[in-house]
Short mmCIF file of all heavy atoms in Angstrom, two decimals:
data_model
loop_
_atom_site.label_atom_id
_atom_site.label_comp_id
_atom_site.label_asym_id
_atom_site.label_seq_id
_atom_site.Cartn_x
_atom_site.Cartn_y
_atom_site.Cartn_z
N MET A 226 61.09 153.26 94.65
CA MET A 226 59.63 153.23 94.62
C MET A 226 59.04 154.62 94.84
O MET A 226 58.01 154.97 94.27
CB MET A 226 59.13 152.25 95.68
CG MET A 226 59.46 150.80 95.35
SD MET A 226 59.17 149.64 96.70
CE MET A 226 57.38 149.66 96.76
N MET A 227 59.70 155.43 95.68
CA MET A 227 59.22 156.79 95.89
C MET A 227 59.37 157.62 94.61
O MET A 227 58.48 158.40 94.25
CB MET A 227 59.98 157.45 97.05
CG MET A 227 59.67 156.84 98.40
SD MET A 227 60.43 157.71 99.81
CE MET A 227 59.35 159.15 99.93
N TYR A 228 60.48 157.43 93.90
CA TYR A 228 60.65 158.11 92.61
C TYR A 228 59.64 157.60 91.59
O TYR A 228 59.09 158.36 90.80
CB TYR A 228 62.07 157.91 92.08
CG TYR A 228 63.09 158.86 92.68
CD1 TYR A 228 64.11 158.39 93.50
CD2 TYR A 228 63.04 160.22 92.40
CE1 TYR A 228 65.06 159.25 94.05
CE2 TYR A 228 63.98 161.10 92.94
CZ TYR A 228 64.98 160.60 93.76
OH TYR A 228 65.90 161.49 94.31
N MET A 229 59.39 156.30 91.60
CA MET A 229 58.48 155.72 90.63
C MET A 229 57.05 156.22 90.84
O MET A 229 56.32 156.47 89.89
CB MET A 229 58.52 154.19 90.73
CG MET A 229 57.71 153.48 89.66
SD MET A 229 57.98 151.68 89.66
CE MET A 229 57.18 151.21 91.20
N ARG A 230 56.67 156.39 92.10
CA ARG A 230 55.31 156.83 92.41
C ARG A 230 55.18 158.34 92.51
O ARG A 230 54.08 158.87 92.60
CB ARG A 230 54.85 156.19 93.73
CG ARG A 230 54.69 154.68 93.65
CD ARG A 230 54.02 154.11 94.89
NE ARG A 230 54.83 154.25 96.09
CZ ARG A 230 55.28 153.21 96.81
NH1 ARG A 230 55.02 151.97 96.42
NH2 ARG A 230 55.99 153.41 97.88
N GLY A 231 56.32 159.02 92.55
CA GLY A 231 56.28 160.48 92.68
C GLY A 231 55.88 160.92 94.08
O GLY A 231 55.13 161.88 94.24
N GLU A 232 56.41 160.24 95.09
CA GLU A 232 56.09 160.58 96.47
C GLU A 232 57.11 161.59 97.00
O GLU A 232 58.27 161.26 97.23
CB GLU A 232 56.11 159.33 97.35
CG GLU A 232 54.98 158.36 97.05
CD GLU A 232 55.03 157.13 97.94
OE1 GLU A 232 56.06 156.91 98.64
OE2 GLU A 232 54.04 156.37 97.93
N GLY A 233 56.67 162.82 97.19
CA GLY A 233 57.55 163.85 97.72
C GLY A 233 58.49 164.44 96.70
O GLY A 233 59.21 165.40 96.99
N VAL A 234 58.52 163.87 95.52
CA VAL A 234 59.35 164.35 94.42
C VAL A 234 58.55 164.19 93.12
O VAL A 234 57.54 163.49 93.09
CB VAL A 234 60.67 163.55 94.29
CG1 VAL A 234 61.58 163.81 95.47
CG2 VAL A 234 60.38 162.07 94.15
N ALA A 235 59.02 164.85 92.07
CA ALA A 235 58.39 164.66 90.77
C ALA A 235 58.65 163.21 90.33
O ALA A 235 59.74 162.67 90.55
CB ALA A 235 58.97 165.62 89.75
N GLN A 236 57.64 162.58 89.74
CA GLN A 236 57.81 161.20 89.26
C GLN A 236 58.98 161.14 88.29
O GLN A 236 59.07 161.94 87.36
CB GLN A 236 56.53 160.73 88.57
CG GLN A 236 56.51 159.25 88.26
CD GLN A 236 55.17 158.82 87.69
OE1 GLN A 236 54.72 159.34 86.66
NE2 GLN A 236 54.51 157.88 88.35
N ASP A 237 59.90 160.22 88.54
CA ASP A 237 61.13 160.15 87.76
C ASP A 237 61.51 158.69 87.58
O ASP A 237 62.16 158.09 88.44
CB ASP A 237 62.24 160.92 88.47
CG ASP A 237 63.49 161.10 87.62
OD1 ASP A 237 63.73 160.25 86.75
OD2 ASP A 237 64.24 162.07 87.86
N TYR A 238 61.12 158.10 86.45
CA TYR A 238 61.38 156.69 86.20
C TYR A 238 62.88 156.39 86.06
O TYR A 238 63.36 155.34 86.47
CB TYR A 238 60.65 156.22 84.94
CG TYR A 238 59.15 156.12 85.11
CD1 TYR A 238 58.29 156.56 84.10
CD2 TYR A 238 58.58 155.58 86.26
CE1 TYR A 238 56.91 156.47 84.24
CE2 TYR A 238 57.21 155.47 86.41
CZ TYR A 238 56.37 155.92 85.39
OH TYR A 238 55.01 155.82 85.54
N GLU A 239 63.61 157.32 85.46
CA GLU A 239 65.04 157.08 85.27
C GLU A 239 65.77 157.03 86.61
O GLU A 239 66.65 156.18 86.81
CB GLU A 239 65.63 158.18 84.38
CG GLU A 239 65.16 158.09 82.93
CD GLU A 239 65.86 159.10 82.03
OE1 GLU A 239 66.76 159.81 82.53
OE2 GLU A 239 65.49 159.18 80.84
#
Side-chain angles (χ1 to χ4, degrees):
M226 292 169 70
M227 292 186 76
Y228 278 113
M229 186 172 69
R230 293 190 294 242
E232 292 180 348
V234 292
Q236 190 175 58
D237 190 333
Y238 289 138
E239 290 185 4

